[in-house]
């Protein structure tokens, strides 16, 4: 086989260890990480011992099989000398005698010594490689029936499949670890998939980007202006730009220009006309959507269209037939004010009344303007007017609770629940997200039950999740969407809350008066000044609830460390303090600050358990952040927890290091392979902090963050501080941030599609 021969030529110049399994120490079936003791038969290494521990990404090593391992010796600090495997293969017989013995063994049913000799006489010393490459060569072997030929080939594939795939992929430049990932996805179809559509690997296999797939395509003859290469470039770039920049679509000309830049080089220029032709073909094949001069990823097109359609449905099919006279509303609200000992401001009363009389309402306002107070007022007044109980105990298990409170993150939902005294959930949990590609339990065919839905922190909701939520709503449900229009947009594509506000088609109340903390609160007042594009003149002066410490970028880590030491002396813990930064890299980046703060709040000791994953060490007592939704464990992206236990591999039946994280009492076990689902959370990104509040927020602002210095980013960060805010860094950098509006200008057509849908409805009714 060509791949095999080429590898053998390469391996002739490599050192190797040849041997068989003596003892399997560890093997992980999920990621194939293997530790095994190997009895050495032969080696070109300068090594005199009779056995060695090999470590690497390998399929299960079988007893009584001989393997060739290619790699390097490495000294492990705990386990001593080991052989780190980079490539490997079974020792396939290379002589006529060896092949005859191999094929006539018990492995190959129905192939005796005479038939094995016949195969070698017909196909020669490369018989095994030839059969694996093209099983039809067995048709040339006399007296070998089709059934036995098929069984022989299937047995060879089973015996050599993984190794042959890895050998072949090595020829294309893939290391063992990445090759094993590819094999996990495609199995025996790996080589066929790679040859037929190498660009499929981009979406199917983690760790393979366009450049690697493009290099693979070039090695297979898919290069230059080949249609398959152009099509792959279009799909890749469209998906990448929408995900990275938050766009719902790309303008047609922009996509063609950027694809040309992506695919062209010194040797070839990809013409825009060729790209346009392939975009049109992809549209015809429903691989993407071309609408006028806009190009959409399929899922984003249907999400935008679906959301506009369902918003229209909710607005025109208002099931709220029970209207209440203003006198009844004022009576119910007055009783609530008396019970709570408060008096709602005129704008808050307007918000409550509008919410209760509209199928959908938008409520927006900055920090301290009373959004949470209004939410409680809506819920309590709704219950009074409709004569329903707000005590969950009054409802049987099968009875729907009338009021649904949700937010995008677990922490935001918890805040909502604390403020109202009612159950609140993440949107994913409410919709019954099952994880992976399984989708949601709730949809148009299995809608939610209840009569009032309030969604908080809507600015964090992307177009996909908003569409999923609205298609699961029954016609009669009233909906209140609450958020701060000046905060950062969603991490995912779209700017749903902003678009709905700009559409001016849904009843909206904007809260502007400041109530939280006491009027004139220093943090809140600063936030509102920032919204208007300027800083208070006393920004550098020490206030009861905020400070500014001037320093250069290379001093940030020292300043933050000193601030945290002083806070610790006053009794504050790592749970009370959240450092926020906009970037991961650099000496004032999240990664460096996390290590510094971990060593300060939770230093390494001989008694403290610790495991390492990648570049990160995790210790008992560390504060961590959940990075993905895990519905089975009731833990969601953005949840903050504490490592309460660590178990080493030798201590549990799974033979793998594990750590246990407590999220407000919910304990989740993470095998080592799943530690990419969490990260240290002493310092986190401002995006990740949305929906949360912390007693103390420390936020460095320096020119090194220049690309991220924007008003809505800094505004979002400072509004996470509940009691005390500390800014440190360069005043000039803070000024730059306040002067710069968000320049992303996300491409979206939601407001236009909503307007068109409602205007068409008005024409139909006329």
């Amino acid at each position: 086989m060509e791949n095999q021969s080429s590898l053998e030529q390469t391996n002739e110049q490599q050192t190797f260890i040849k041997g068989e399994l003596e003892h399997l120490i560890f093997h992980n079936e999920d990621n194939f990480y293997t530790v095994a003791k190997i009895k050495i038969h032969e080696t070109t290494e300068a090594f005199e011992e009779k056995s060695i521990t090999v470590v690497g990404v390998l399929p299960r090593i079988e007893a009584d099989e001989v393997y060739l391992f290619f790699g390097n010796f490495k000294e492990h600090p705990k386990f001593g000398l080991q052989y780190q495997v980079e490539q490997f293969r079974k020792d396939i017989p290379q002589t006529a005698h060896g092949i005859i013995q191999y094929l006539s063994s018990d492995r190959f049913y129905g192939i005796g010594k005479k038939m094995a000799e016949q195969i070698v006489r017909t196909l020669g010393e490369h018989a095994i490689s030839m059969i694996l490459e093209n099983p039809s060569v067995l048709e040339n072997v006399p007296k070998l029936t089709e059934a036995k030929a098929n069984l022989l080939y299937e047995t060879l594939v089973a015996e050599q499949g993984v190794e042959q795939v890895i050998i072949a992929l090595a020829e294309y430049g893939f290391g063992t670890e990445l090759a094993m990932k590819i094999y996990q996805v495609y199995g025996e179809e790996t080589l066929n998939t790679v040859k037929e559509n190498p660009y499929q690997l981009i979406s199917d296999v983690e760790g393979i980007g366009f450049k690697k797939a493009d290099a693979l395509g070039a090695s297979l003859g898919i290069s230059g202006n080949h249609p398959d290469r152009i099509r792959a470039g279009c799909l890749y770039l469209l998906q990448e730009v929408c995900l990275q920049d938050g766009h719902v679509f790309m303008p047609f000309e922009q996509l063609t220009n950027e694809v040309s830049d992506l695919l062209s080089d010194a040797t070839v220029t990809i013409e825009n006309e060729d790209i346009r032709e392939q975009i049109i073909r992809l549209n015809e094949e429903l691989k993407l959507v071309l609408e006028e001069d806009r190009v959409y990823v399929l899922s984003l097109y249907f999400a935008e269209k679906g959301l506009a359609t369902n918003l229209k449905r909710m607005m025109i099919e208002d099931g709220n037939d029970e209207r209440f006279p203003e006198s009844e509303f004022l009576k119910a609200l007055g009783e609530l004010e008396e019970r709570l000992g408060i008096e709602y401001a005129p704008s808050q009363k307007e918000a409550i009344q509008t919410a209760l009389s509209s199928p959908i309402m938008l409520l927006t306002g900055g920090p301290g303007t009373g959004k949470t107070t209004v939410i409680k007022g809506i819920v309590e007044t709704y219950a009074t007017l409709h004569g329903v109980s707000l005590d969950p105990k009054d409802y049987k298990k099968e009875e729907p609770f009338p009021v649904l409170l949700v937010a995008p993150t677990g922490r935001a939902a918890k805040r909502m629940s604390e403020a109202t005294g009612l159950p609140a959930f993440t949107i994913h949990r409410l919709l019954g997200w099952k994880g992976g590609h399984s989708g949601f339990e709730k949809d148009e065919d299995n809608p939610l039950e209840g009569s009032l839905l309030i969604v908080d922190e809507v600015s964090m909701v992307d177009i996909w999740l908003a569409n999923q939520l609205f298609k699961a709503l029954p016609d009669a449900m009233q909906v209140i969407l609450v958020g701060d229009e000046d905060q950062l947009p969603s991490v995912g594509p779209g700017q749903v809350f902003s678009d709905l506000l700009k559409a001016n088609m849904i009843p909206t109340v904007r809260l502007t008066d400041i109530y939280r903390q006491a009027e004139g609160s220093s943090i809140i007042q600063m936030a509102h000044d920032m919204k208007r594009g300027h800083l208070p003149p006393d920004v550098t002066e020490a206030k009861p609830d905020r400070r500014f410490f001037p320093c250069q970028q290379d001093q940030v880590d020292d300043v933050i460390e000193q601030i945290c030491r002083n806070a610790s002396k006053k009794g504050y813990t790592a749970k009370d303090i959240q450092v926020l930064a906009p970037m991961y890299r650099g000496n004032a980046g999240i990664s460096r600050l996390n290590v510094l703060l971990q060593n300060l709040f939770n230093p390494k000791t001989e008694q403290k358990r610790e495991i390492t994953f990648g570049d990160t060490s995790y210790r008992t007592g560390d504060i961590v952040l959940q990075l993905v939704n895990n519905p089975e464990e009731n833990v969601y992206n953005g949840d903050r927890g504490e490592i309460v236990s660590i178990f080493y591999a030798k201590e549990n039946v799974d033979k793998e290091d594990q750590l246990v994280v407590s999220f407000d009492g919910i304990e989740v076990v993470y095998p080592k392979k799943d530690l990419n689902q969490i990260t240290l959370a002493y310092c986190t990104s401002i995006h990740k902090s949305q929906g949360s509040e912390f007693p103390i927020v420390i936020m460095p602002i320096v020119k090194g963050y220049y690309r991220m210095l924007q008003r809505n980013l800094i505004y979002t960060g400072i509004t996470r501080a509940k009691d005390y805010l500390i800014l440190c860094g360069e005043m000039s950098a803070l000024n730059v941030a306040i002067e710069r509006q968000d320049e992303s200008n996300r491409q979206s057509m939601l407001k236009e599609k909503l307007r068109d849908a409602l205007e068409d409805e008005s024409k139909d009714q006329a």
Side-chain angles (χ1 to χ4, degrees):
M1 190 168 77
E2 182 180 332
N3 286 333
Q4 172 110 6
S5 300
S6 177
L7 185 64
E8 284 170 358
Q9 290 170 9
T10 302
N11 289 340
E12 283 175 3
Q13 297 154 18
Q14 289 181 290
T15 55
F16 66 85
I17 289 175
K18 179 178 177 180
E20 62 182 303
L21 180 65
E22 187 174 283
H23 173 56
L24 183 63
I25 300 170
F26 176 78
H27 177 73
N28 186 310
E29 287 291 351
D30 293 313
N31 60 16
F32 295 102
Y33 181 75
T34 301
V35 182
K37 194 74 168 285
I38 298 297
K39 181 181 179 182
I40 299 174
H41 290 187
E42 179 186 345
T43 180
T44 56
E45 298 279 6
F47 187 69
E48 300 296 330
E49 301 295 327
K50 294 181 179 180
S51 62
I52 184 67
T53 299
V54 301
V55 178
V57 179
L58 308 166
R60 182 172 285 277
I61 300 174
E62 302 293 340
D64 302 321
E65 295 281 3
V66 179
Y67 294 86
L68 280 167
F69 301 101
F70 304 90
N72 298 287
F73 282 106
K74 289 191 176 179
E75 187 73 30
H76 189 282
K78 183 175 180 182
F79 300 112
L81 191 65
Q82 297 179 334
Y83 196 68
Q84 186 73 42
V85 179
E86 295 174 358
Q87 292 182 14
F88 77 101
R89 62 174 170 82
K90 279 184 182 175
D91 185 34
I92 302 172
Q94 302 296 321
T95 65
H97 177 71
I99 294 171
I100 291 168
Q101 280 194 317
Y102 179 61
L103 293 180
S104 60
S105 67
D106 293 340
R107 297 182 183 88
F108 299 93
Y109 180 77
I111 306 293
K113 186 174 182 180
K114 287 185 178 180
M115 182 53 68
E117 290 172 345
Q118 188 71 271
I119 291 170
V120 172
R121 273 198 298 271
T122 306
L123 302 179
E125 293 185 352
H126 295 293
I128 294 174
S129 300
M130 291 172 67
I131 296 166
L132 286 166
E133 177 74 15
N134 181 14
S136 64
V137 298
L138 289 170
E139 295 172 6
N140 301 323
V141 179
K143 298 182 180 181
L144 181 64
T145 65
E146 183 179 352
K148 285 186 177 181
N150 289 337
L151 184 58
L152 170 61
Y153 172 69
E154 289 170 5
T155 306
L156 272 176
V157 168
E159 284 278 307
Q160 307 290 341
V162 179
E163 289 86 351
Q164 292 298 321
V165 166
I166 291 173
I167 289 167
L169 291 177
E171 288 296 299
Y172 297 132
F174 293 101
T176 303
E177 187 169 356
L178 201 49
M180 290 302 295
K181 279 188 179 181
I182 298 170
Y183 186 81
Q184 277 183 291
V185 174
Y186 302 119
E188 292 180 8
E189 291 300 310
T190 296
L191 295 182
N192 287 336
T193 304
V194 166
K195 291 175 182 177
E196 290 173 9
N197 185 8
Y199 297 99
Q200 185 66 34
L201 275 63
I202 300 170
S203 56
D204 291 349
V205 183
E206 184 182 353
I208 296 183
F210 184 82
K211 286 186 177 180
K212 189 172 281 291
D214 199 35
L216 176 57
S219 69
L220 295 167
I222 305 173
S223 58
N225 64 352
H226 193 291
D228 287 351
R229 181 171 185 253
I230 295 175
R231 290 155 66 83
C234 291
L235 292 172
Y236 164 76
L237 192 64
L238 180 62
Q239 179 94 7
E240 192 76 359
V241 168
C242 288
L243 286 176
Q244 285 195 350
D245 298 338
H247 300 305
V248 180
F249 66 86
M250 284 185 72
F252 188 91
E253 286 303 314
Q254 180 188 345
L255 179 59
T256 55
N257 290 335
E258 293 195 19
V259 170
S260 178
D261 291 342
L262 175 70
L263 301 181
S264 299
D265 57 30
T267 61
V268 62
T269 299
I270 309 301
E271 300 297 338
N272 281 11
E273 191 55 45
D274 292 335
I275 299 169
R276 293 189 190 99
E277 180 183 339
Q278 295 307 321
I279 293 174
I280 292 168
R281 280 188 57 195
L282 288 166
N283 176 63
E284 292 169 350
E285 296 168 11
L286 295 180
K287 299 288 179 62
L288 51 72
V289 174
L290 179 57
E291 182 184 64
E292 297 180 1
D293 64 341
R294 300 179 293 276
V295 189
Y296 286 84
V297 174
L298 275 177
S299 63
L300 289 173
Y301 172 78
F302 289 113
E304 185 177 76
K305 183 179 179 181
L307 180 56
T309 299
N310 281 300
L311 283 163
K312 170 189 168 183
R313 170 178 64 86
M314 299 294 293
M315 293 176 71
I316 65 174
E317 296 185 20
D318 179 12
N320 184 25
D321 297 326
E322 194 174 359
R323 304 292 181 183
F324 298 94
E326 186 171 12
S327 58
E328 284 191 38
F329 165 74
L330 292 175
K331 180 175 181 291
L333 188 66
E335 291 173 352
L336 176 62
E337 287 178 320
E338 187 174 340
R339 188 167 74 250
L340 298 178
I342 63 171
E343 182 179 352
Y344 287 106
S347 61
Q348 293 176 320
K349 289 181 180 178
E350 178 196 359
I352 297 170
Q353 187 168 19
T354 304
L356 296 176
S357 60
S358 307
I360 305 179
M361 185 195 81
L362 307 177
L363 176 65
T364 185
T369 55
K371 297 189 296 296
T372 302
T373 304
V374 169
I375 290 173
K376 185 171 178 62
I378 292 170
V379 170
E380 297 276 357
T381 310
Y382 177 91
T384 300
L385 291 173
H386 288 81
V388 298
S389 170
L390 292 178
D391 187 347
K393 295 177 183 176
D394 292 338
Y395 296 84
K396 296 178 182 177
K397 188 176 181 181
E398 63 275 9
E399 285 184 296
F401 192 69
V403 178
L404 302 177
L405 305 179
V406 296
T409 68
R411 290 187 68 84
K414 184 182 178 185
R415 285 173 53 205
M416 213 176 177
S417 180
E418 290 170 348
T420 61
L422 297 177
F425 310 95
T426 64
I427 299 173
H428 282 84
R429 186 180 176 193
L430 178 75
L431 296 175
W433 187 68
K434 293 174 283 187
H437 299 289
S438 302
F440 295 85
E441 291 177 2
K442 298 295 182 180
D443 54 22
E444 59 269 47
D445 298 321
N446 182 28
L448 294 165
E449 294 182 283
S451 49
L452 176 68
L453 171 70
I454 303 179
V455 188
D456 199 7
E457 299 286 357
V458 182
S459 61
M460 296 175 65
V461 179
D462 63 35
I463 192 81
W464 283 314
L465 188 56
N467 176 53
Q468 189 65 44
L469 175 62
F470 269 84
K471 72 180 182 181
L473 301 184
D475 295 342
M477 184 174 280
Q478 288 181 264
V479 181
I480 294 95
L481 303 179
V482 185
D484 184 344
E485 60 187 311
D486 295 299
Q487 280 192 26
L488 290 166
S490 56
V491 174
Q495 46 190 14
V496 173
F497 194 55
S498 175
D499 282 345
L500 296 183
L501 289 166
K502 290 175 183 175
N504 290 320
M505 304 297 285
I506 299 174
T508 300
V509 176
R510 285 181 166 85
L511 301 176
T512 55
D513 296 326
I514 301 172
Y515 305 99
R516 192 169 58 140
Q517 293 175 327
E519 280 199 40
S521 160
S522 176
I523 301 173
I524 301 302
Q525 189 58 54
M526 174 188 278
H528 285 269
D529 287 342
M530 284 185 175
K531 281 174 59 172
R532 293 187 287 269
H534 62 266
L535 288 169
D538 59 357
V539 66
T540 59
E541 295 178 17
K543 298 290 180 180
D545 58 354
R546 65 171 168 85
R547 289 286 302 271
F548 181 91
F549 291 99
C551 63
Q552 301 300 311
Q553 181 166 331
D554 59 0
Q555 300 170 318
V556 163
D557 52 357
D558 290 335
V559 170
I560 289 177
E561 182 177 13
Q562 190 58 49
I563 293 169
C564 290
R565 284 190 186 281
N566 290 337
S568 294
K569 291 175 183 177
K570 294 177 181 178
Y572 292 101
T573 69
K575 291 181 180 179
D576 303 317
I577 302 168
Q578 183 63 67
V579 180
L580 300 177
M583 296 177 71
Y584 282 85
R585 297 179 181 176
N587 56 1
I590 294 168
S591 299
R592 179 183 172 92
L593 291 174
N594 256 323
V595 174
L596 179 147
L597 294 168
Q598 180 192 40
N599 290 332
L600 172 64
F601 287 114
N602 194 29
K604 184 174 184 175
T605 65
E606 289 185 7
Q607 294 76 28
K608 191 166 292 182
R609 292 196 161 204
E610 177 177 297
I611 59 176
T612 301
F613 182 77
D615 296 331
T616 305
S617 294
Y618 292 102
R619 301 168 193 151
T620 49
D622 274 338
I623 306 299
V624 295
L625 188 76
Q626 177 76 8
L627 298 175
V628 297
N629 291 318
N630 185 349
E632 292 181 0
E633 300 287 356
N634 193 23
V635 175
Y636 295 88
N637 184 6
D639 286 353
R640 204 165 177 243
E642 179 183 353
I643 298 175
V644 292
S645 301
I646 290 177
F647 299 102
Y648 296 129
K650 62 184 178 182
E651 300 171 338
N652 61 74
V653 294
D654 297 320
K655 300 300 180 185
E656 185 174 9
D657 290 343
Q658 298 175 343
L659 58 78
V660 182
V661 180
S662 174
F663 296 93
D664 294 324
I666 298 173
E667 291 195 350
V668 181
V669 179
Y670 293 84
K672 189 169 183 176
K673 65 183 176 61
D674 291 339
L675 292 185
N676 58 344
Q677 296 182 11
I678 62 172
T679 186
L680 291 176
Y682 299 100
C683 179
T684 189
S685 70
I686 296 172
H687 277 94
K688 288 289 184 187
S689 73
Q690 274 188 276
S692 300
E693 278 188 340
F694 309 96
I696 299 174
V697 165
I698 302 171
M699 194 161 67
I701 303 173
V702 293
K703 290 180 181 176
Y705 299 150
Y706 187 79
R707 186 173 57 86
M708 301 292 290
L709 292 178
Q710 293 177 353
R711 186 187 303 171
N712 61 351
L713 187 84
I714 304 303
Y715 171 82
T716 301
I718 69 169
T719 55
R720 302 308 92 206
K722 186 177 181 181
D723 301 322
Y724 205 91
L725 170 70
I726 299 173
L727 301 177
C728 60
E730 299 161 326
M731 195 64 209
S732 57
L734 182 57
N735 282 319
V736 167
I738 301 309
E739 290 169 5
R740 287 172 67 190
Q741 293 272 27
D742 182 8
E743 298 171 353
S744 60
N745 192 25
R746 293 187 172 190
Q747 305 282 1
S748 166
M749 288 292 290
L750 178 60
K751 61 180 183 294
E752 290 82 1
K753 287 184 177 177
L754 179 59
R755 285 173 181 168
D756 291 346
L758 292 172
E759 286 170 3
D760 289 344
E761 180 65 25
S762 299
K763 290 176 185 176
D764 290 343
Q765 290 180 349

